[in-house]
Structures are given as structure tokens and as C-alpha cells.
PDB file of all heavy atoms in Angstrom:
ATOM      1  N   ALA A 137      12.621 -14.704  -4.951  1.00 82.00           N
ATOM      2  CA  ALA A 137      13.893 -14.822  -4.247  1.00 82.00           C
ATOM      3  C   ALA A 137      14.861 -15.585  -5.140  1.00 82.00           C
ATOM      4  O   ALA A 137      14.459 -16.358  -5.998  1.00 82.00           O
ATOM      5  CB  ALA A 137      13.697 -15.559  -2.924  1.00 82.00           C
ATOM      6  N   GLY A 138      16.118 -15.338  -4.926  1.00 85.00           N
ATOM      7  CA  GLY A 138      17.123 -16.048  -5.698  1.00 85.00           C
ATOM      8  C   GLY A 138      18.494 -15.782  -5.113  1.00 85.00           C
ATOM      9  O   GLY A 138      18.643 -15.046  -4.142  1.00 85.00           O
ATOM     10  N   VAL A 139      19.479 -16.361  -5.705  1.00 90.00           N
ATOM     11  CA  VAL A 139      20.864 -16.195  -5.289  1.00 90.00           C
ATOM     12  C   VAL A 139      21.511 -15.212  -6.243  1.00 90.00           C
ATOM     13  O   VAL A 139      21.301 -15.279  -7.460  1.00 90.00           O
ATOM     14  CB  VAL A 139      21.598 -17.555  -5.322  1.00 90.00           C
ATOM     15  CG1 VAL A 139      23.062 -17.395  -4.971  1.00 90.00           C
ATOM     16  CG2 VAL A 139      20.913 -18.546  -4.394  1.00 90.00           C
ATOM     17  N   VAL A 140      22.312 -14.264  -5.704  1.00 91.00           N
ATOM     18  CA  VAL A 140      22.989 -13.282  -6.543  1.00 91.00           C
ATOM     19  C   VAL A 140      23.744 -14.009  -7.656  1.00 91.00           C
ATOM     20  O   VAL A 140      24.443 -14.990  -7.414  1.00 91.00           O
ATOM     21  CB  VAL A 140      23.954 -12.410  -5.690  1.00 91.00           C
ATOM     22  CG1 VAL A 140      24.802 -11.519  -6.590  1.00 91.00           C
ATOM     23  CG2 VAL A 140      23.167 -11.581  -4.696  1.00 91.00           C
ATOM     24  N   GLY A 141      23.527 -13.550  -8.869  1.00 91.00           N
ATOM     25  CA  GLY A 141      24.145 -14.172 -10.036  1.00 91.00           C
ATOM     26  C   GLY A 141      23.258 -15.232 -10.676  1.00 91.00           C
ATOM     27  O   GLY A 141      23.450 -15.600 -11.826  1.00 91.00           O
ATOM     28  N   GLY A 142      22.297 -15.715  -9.944  1.00 92.00           N
ATOM     29  CA  GLY A 142      21.394 -16.744 -10.465  1.00 92.00           C
ATOM     30  C   GLY A 142      20.109 -16.123 -10.996  1.00 92.00           C
ATOM     31  O   GLY A 142      19.977 -14.904 -11.099  1.00 92.00           O
ATOM     32  N   PRO A 143      19.134 -16.953 -11.323  1.00 93.00           N
ATOM     33  CA  PRO A 143      17.873 -16.433 -11.857  1.00 93.00           C
ATOM     34  C   PRO A 143      16.849 -16.170 -10.744  1.00 93.00           C
ATOM     35  O   PRO A 143      16.939 -16.721  -9.651  1.00 93.00           O
ATOM     36  CB  PRO A 143      17.386 -17.566 -12.761  1.00 93.00           C
ATOM     37  CG  PRO A 143      17.901 -18.799 -12.083  1.00 93.00           C
ATOM     38  CD  PRO A 143      19.235 -18.405 -11.482  1.00 93.00           C
ATOM     39  N   ALA A 144      15.895 -15.312 -11.041  1.00 92.00           N
ATOM     40  CA  ALA A 144      14.722 -15.098 -10.197  1.00 92.00           C
ATOM     41  C   ALA A 144      13.506 -15.258 -11.098  1.00 92.00           C
ATOM     42  O   ALA A 144      13.535 -14.856 -12.269  1.00 92.00           O
ATOM     43  CB  ALA A 144      14.743 -13.707  -9.574  1.00 92.00           C
ATOM     44  N   VAL A 145      12.454 -15.858 -10.555  1.00 93.00           N
ATOM     45  CA  VAL A 145      11.242 -16.089 -11.339  1.00 93.00           C
ATOM     46  C   VAL A 145      10.107 -15.279 -10.721  1.00 93.00           C
ATOM     47  O   VAL A 145       9.805 -15.417  -9.536  1.00 93.00           O
ATOM     48  CB  VAL A 145      10.866 -17.591 -11.364  1.00 93.00           C
ATOM     49  CG1 VAL A 145       9.588 -17.802 -12.162  1.00 93.00           C
ATOM     50  CG2 VAL A 145      12.005 -18.417 -11.949  1.00 93.00           C
ATOM     51  N   PHE A 146       9.499 -14.424 -11.534  1.00 93.00           N
ATOM     52  CA  PHE A 146       8.378 -13.597 -11.099  1.00 93.00           C
ATOM     53  C   PHE A 146       7.097 -14.122 -11.734  1.00 93.00           C
ATOM     54  O   PHE A 146       7.095 -14.519 -12.895  1.00 93.00           O
ATOM     55  CB  PHE A 146       8.587 -12.141 -11.536  1.00 93.00           C
ATOM     56  CG  PHE A 146       9.763 -11.485 -10.880  1.00 93.00           C
ATOM     57  CD1 PHE A 146      11.028 -11.568 -11.453  1.00 93.00           C
ATOM     58  CD2 PHE A 146       9.620 -10.796  -9.689  1.00 93.00           C
ATOM     59  CE1 PHE A 146      12.120 -10.958 -10.857  1.00 93.00           C
ATOM     60  CE2 PHE A 146      10.709 -10.186  -9.078  1.00 93.00           C
ATOM     61  CZ  PHE A 146      11.962 -10.268  -9.666  1.00 93.00           C
ATOM     62  N   THR A 147       6.038 -14.118 -10.960  1.00 94.00           N
ATOM     63  CA  THR A 147       4.738 -14.517 -11.498  1.00 94.00           C
ATOM     64  C   THR A 147       3.770 -13.347 -11.390  1.00 94.00           C
ATOM     65  O   THR A 147       3.911 -12.487 -10.521  1.00 94.00           O
ATOM     66  CB  THR A 147       4.147 -15.735 -10.753  1.00 94.00           C
ATOM     67  OG1 THR A 147       4.033 -15.417  -9.374  1.00 94.00           O
ATOM     68  CG2 THR A 147       5.006 -16.970 -10.939  1.00 94.00           C
ATOM     69  N   CYS A 148       2.826 -13.335 -12.281  1.00 93.00           N
ATOM     70  CA  CYS A 148       1.791 -12.312 -12.297  1.00 93.00           C
ATOM     71  C   CYS A 148       0.663 -12.812 -11.399  1.00 93.00           C
ATOM     72  O   CYS A 148       0.109 -13.887 -11.630  1.00 93.00           O
ATOM     73  CB  CYS A 148       1.306 -12.115 -13.727  1.00 93.00           C
ATOM     74  SG  CYS A 148       0.133 -10.782 -13.922  1.00 93.00           S
ATOM     75  N   ASP A 149       0.356 -12.047 -10.357  1.00 93.00           N
ATOM     76  CA  ASP A 149      -0.724 -12.418  -9.447  1.00 93.00           C
ATOM     77  C   ASP A 149      -2.039 -11.875  -9.982  1.00 93.00           C
ATOM     78  O   ASP A 149      -2.236 -10.665 -10.060  1.00 93.00           O
ATOM     79  CB  ASP A 149      -0.461 -11.864  -8.047  1.00 93.00           C
ATOM     80  CG  ASP A 149       0.748 -12.497  -7.387  1.00 93.00           C
ATOM     81  OD1 ASP A 149       1.033 -13.670  -7.696  1.00 93.00           O
ATOM     82  OD2 ASP A 149       1.394 -11.828  -6.568  1.00 93.00           O
ATOM     83  N   VAL A 150      -2.926 -12.777 -10.350  1.00 89.00           N
ATOM     84  CA  VAL A 150      -4.230 -12.431 -10.902  1.00 89.00           C
ATOM     85  C   VAL A 150      -5.283 -12.809  -9.870  1.00 89.00           C
ATOM     86  O   VAL A 150      -5.210 -13.893  -9.282  1.00 89.00           O
ATOM     87  CB  VAL A 150      -4.469 -13.205 -12.230  1.00 89.00           C
ATOM     88  CG1 VAL A 150      -5.834 -12.898 -12.799  1.00 89.00           C
ATOM     89  CG2 VAL A 150      -3.381 -12.869 -13.237  1.00 89.00           C
ATOM     90  N   PRO A 151      -6.270 -11.944  -9.608  1.00 86.00           N
ATOM     91  CA  PRO A 151      -7.313 -12.294  -8.637  1.00 86.00           C
ATOM     92  C   PRO A 151      -7.969 -13.631  -8.987  1.00 86.00           C
ATOM     93  O   PRO A 151      -8.225 -13.914 -10.167  1.00 86.00           O
ATOM     94  CB  PRO A 151      -8.315 -11.144  -8.752  1.00 86.00           C
ATOM     95  CG  PRO A 151      -7.538 -10.006  -9.319  1.00 86.00           C
ATOM     96  CD  PRO A 151      -6.495 -10.631 -10.205  1.00 86.00           C
ATOM     97  N   PRO A 152      -8.238 -14.459  -7.992  1.00 81.00           N
ATOM     98  CA  PRO A 152      -8.813 -15.784  -8.257  1.00 81.00           C
ATOM     99  C   PRO A 152     -10.171 -15.736  -8.970  1.00 81.00           C
ATOM    100  O   PRO A 152     -10.530 -16.670  -9.669  1.00 81.00           O
ATOM    101  CB  PRO A 152      -8.934 -16.428  -6.883  1.00 81.00           C
ATOM    102  CG  PRO A 152      -8.705 -15.350  -5.892  1.00 81.00           C
ATOM    103  CD  PRO A 152      -8.012 -14.228  -6.571  1.00 81.00           C
ATOM    104  N   THR A 153     -10.901 -14.645  -8.825  1.00 74.00           N
ATOM    105  CA  THR A 153     -12.214 -14.557  -9.470  1.00 74.00           C
ATOM    106  C   THR A 153     -12.134 -14.512 -10.986  1.00 74.00           C
ATOM    107  O   THR A 153     -13.111 -14.799 -11.669  1.00 74.00           O
ATOM    108  CB  THR A 153     -12.984 -13.311  -8.982  1.00 74.00           C
ATOM    109  OG1 THR A 153     -12.164 -12.154  -9.198  1.00 74.00           O
ATOM    110  CG2 THR A 153     -13.342 -13.422  -7.512  1.00 74.00           C
ATOM    111  N   VAL A 154     -10.967 -14.141 -11.524  1.00 79.00           N
ATOM    112  CA  VAL A 154     -10.829 -14.061 -12.981  1.00 79.00           C
ATOM    113  C   VAL A 154      -9.690 -14.920 -13.516  1.00 79.00           C
ATOM    114  O   VAL A 154      -9.484 -14.984 -14.725  1.00 79.00           O
ATOM    115  CB  VAL A 154     -10.629 -12.601 -13.453  1.00 79.00           C
ATOM    116  CG1 VAL A 154     -11.857 -11.767 -13.170  1.00 79.00           C
ATOM    117  CG2 VAL A 154      -9.395 -11.982 -12.840  1.00 79.00           C
ATOM    118  N   SER A 155      -8.953 -15.591 -12.651  1.00 82.00           N
ATOM    119  CA  SER A 155      -7.738 -16.298 -13.079  1.00 82.00           C
ATOM    120  C   SER A 155      -7.989 -17.353 -14.156  1.00 82.00           C
ATOM    121  O   SER A 155      -7.135 -17.571 -15.017  1.00 82.00           O
ATOM    122  CB  SER A 155      -7.026 -16.921 -11.880  1.00 82.00           C
ATOM    123  OG  SER A 155      -7.846 -17.874 -11.259  1.00 82.00           O
ATOM    124  N   ARG A 156      -9.154 -17.998 -14.147  1.00 79.00           N
ATOM    125  CA  ARG A 156      -9.446 -19.004 -15.181  1.00 79.00           C
ATOM    126  C   ARG A 156      -9.568 -18.396 -16.563  1.00 79.00           C
ATOM    127  O   ARG A 156      -9.480 -19.092 -17.568  1.00 79.00           O
ATOM    128  CB  ARG A 156     -10.760 -19.724 -14.862  1.00 79.00           C
ATOM    129  CG  ARG A 156     -10.682 -20.678 -13.737  1.00 79.00           C
ATOM    130  CD  ARG A 156     -11.938 -21.486 -13.515  1.00 79.00           C
ATOM    131  NE  ARG A 156     -12.939 -21.392 -14.562  1.00 79.00           N
ATOM    132  CZ  ARG A 156     -14.224 -21.549 -14.361  1.00 79.00           C
ATOM    133  NH1 ARG A 156     -14.687 -21.786 -13.173  1.00 79.00           N
ATOM    134  NH2 ARG A 156     -15.075 -21.471 -15.359  1.00 79.00           N
ATOM    135  N   HIS A 157      -9.817 -17.089 -16.613  1.00 80.00           N
ATOM    136  CA  HIS A 157     -10.103 -16.437 -17.882  1.00 80.00           C
ATOM    137  C   HIS A 157      -9.015 -15.464 -18.325  1.00 80.00           C
ATOM    138  O   HIS A 157      -9.200 -14.758 -19.302  1.00 80.00           O
ATOM    139  CB  HIS A 157     -11.436 -15.694 -17.777  1.00 80.00           C
ATOM    140  CG  HIS A 157     -12.525 -16.570 -17.254  1.00 80.00           C
ATOM    141  ND1 HIS A 157     -13.099 -17.568 -18.011  1.00 80.00           N
ATOM    142  CD2 HIS A 157     -13.115 -16.642 -16.041  1.00 80.00           C
ATOM    143  CE1 HIS A 157     -14.000 -18.195 -17.286  1.00 80.00           C
ATOM    144  NE2 HIS A 157     -14.032 -17.661 -16.091  1.00 80.00           N
ATOM    145  N   VAL A 158      -7.909 -15.423 -17.585  1.00 86.00           N
ATOM    146  CA  VAL A 158      -6.842 -14.472 -17.890  1.00 86.00           C
ATOM    147  C   VAL A 158      -5.577 -15.225 -18.269  1.00 86.00           C
ATOM    148  O   VAL A 158      -5.204 -16.195 -17.618  1.00 86.00           O
ATOM    149  CB  VAL A 158      -6.567 -13.549 -16.682  1.00 86.00           C
ATOM    150  CG1 VAL A 158      -5.353 -12.679 -16.917  1.00 86.00           C
ATOM    151  CG2 VAL A 158      -7.789 -12.698 -16.379  1.00 86.00           C
ATOM    152  N   THR A 159      -4.923 -14.762 -19.318  1.00 90.00           N
ATOM    153  CA  THR A 159      -3.645 -15.316 -19.756  1.00 90.00           C
ATOM    154  C   THR A 159      -2.625 -14.188 -19.766  1.00 90.00           C
ATOM    155  O   THR A 159      -2.915 -13.100 -20.285  1.00 90.00           O
ATOM    156  CB  THR A 159      -3.769 -15.900 -21.179  1.00 90.00           C
ATOM    157  OG1 THR A 159      -4.775 -16.908 -21.174  1.00 90.00           O
ATOM    158  CG2 THR A 159      -2.455 -16.494 -21.651  1.00 90.00           C
ATOM    159  N   VAL A 160      -1.450 -14.430 -19.202  1.00 92.00           N
ATOM    160  CA  VAL A 160      -0.386 -13.434 -19.240  1.00 92.00           C
ATOM    161  C   VAL A 160       0.160 -13.415 -20.663  1.00 92.00           C
ATOM    162  O   VAL A 160       0.643 -14.426 -21.169  1.00 92.00           O
ATOM    163  CB  VAL A 160       0.725 -13.762 -18.220  1.00 92.00           C
ATOM    164  CG1 VAL A 160       1.875 -12.771 -18.344  1.00 92.00           C
ATOM    165  CG2 VAL A 160       0.169 -13.759 -16.802  1.00 92.00           C
ATOM    166  N   THR A 161       0.068 -12.250 -21.295  1.00 92.00           N
ATOM    167  CA  THR A 161       0.499 -12.136 -22.690  1.00 92.00           C
ATOM    168  C   THR A 161       1.809 -11.386 -22.838  1.00 92.00           C
ATOM    169  O   THR A 161       2.459 -11.500 -23.882  1.00 92.00           O
ATOM    170  CB  THR A 161      -0.569 -11.437 -23.548  1.00 92.00           C
ATOM    171  OG1 THR A 161      -0.815 -10.138 -22.996  1.00 92.00           O
ATOM    172  CG2 THR A 161      -1.855 -12.256 -23.576  1.00 92.00           C
ATOM    173  N   SER A 162       2.199 -10.598 -21.834  1.00 93.00           N
ATOM    174  CA  SER A 162       3.461  -9.865 -21.934  1.00 93.00           C
ATOM    175  C   SER A 162       3.861  -9.293 -20.584  1.00 93.00           C
ATOM    176  O   SER A 162       3.043  -9.228 -19.657  1.00 93.00           O
ATOM    177  CB  SER A 162       3.360  -8.733 -22.961  1.00 93.00           C
ATOM    178  OG  SER A 162       2.423  -7.758 -22.528  1.00 93.00           O
ATOM    179  N   TRP A 163       5.122  -8.890 -20.494  1.00 93.00           N
ATOM    180  CA  TRP A 163       5.676  -8.182 -19.337  1.00 93.00           C
ATOM    181  C   TRP A 163       6.332  -6.917 -19.872  1.00 93.00           C
ATOM    182  O   TRP A 163       6.865  -6.910 -20.985  1.00 93.00           O
ATOM    183  CB  TRP A 163       6.737  -9.023 -18.627  1.00 93.00           C
ATOM    184  CG  TRP A 163       6.194 -10.135 -17.792  1.00 93.00           C
ATOM    185  CD1 TRP A 163       5.758 -11.344 -18.229  1.00 93.00           C
ATOM    186  CD2 TRP A 163       6.057 -10.152 -16.375  1.00 93.00           C
ATOM    187  NE1 TRP A 163       5.353 -12.122 -17.173  1.00 93.00           N
ATOM    188  CE2 TRP A 163       5.529 -11.408 -16.019  1.00 93.00           C
ATOM    189  CE3 TRP A 163       6.334  -9.227 -15.370  1.00 93.00           C
ATOM    190  CZ2 TRP A 163       5.266 -11.756 -14.697  1.00 93.00           C
ATOM    191  CZ3 TRP A 163       6.077  -9.580 -14.061  1.00 93.00           C
ATOM    192  CH2 TRP A 163       5.539 -10.830 -13.726  1.00 93.00           C
TER     193      TRP A 163
END
């Protein structure tokens, strides 16, 4: 969510079973 004209921040949702071992490398 954000305000028109402002920034929005998106996160990559990774299943908790693997989240300790996964790094977001690109979009």
C-alpha cells in the first residue's frame, strides 16, 4: 500500500519451511 505519487514496498513471500535458506537475488 502507498500514497499516489509516493513509494510502495513489495516483499517476496517465501514459505517458512525454506525461508532460512532462500535469498532474494532479483526481481
Side-chain angles (χ1 to χ4, degrees):
V139 177
V140 172
V145 179
F146 295 89
T147 58
C148 185
D149 294 330
V150 178
T153 55
V154 295
S155 62
R156 287 186 11 208
H157 309 287
V158 173
T159 302
V160 176
T161 59
S162 65
W163 284 79

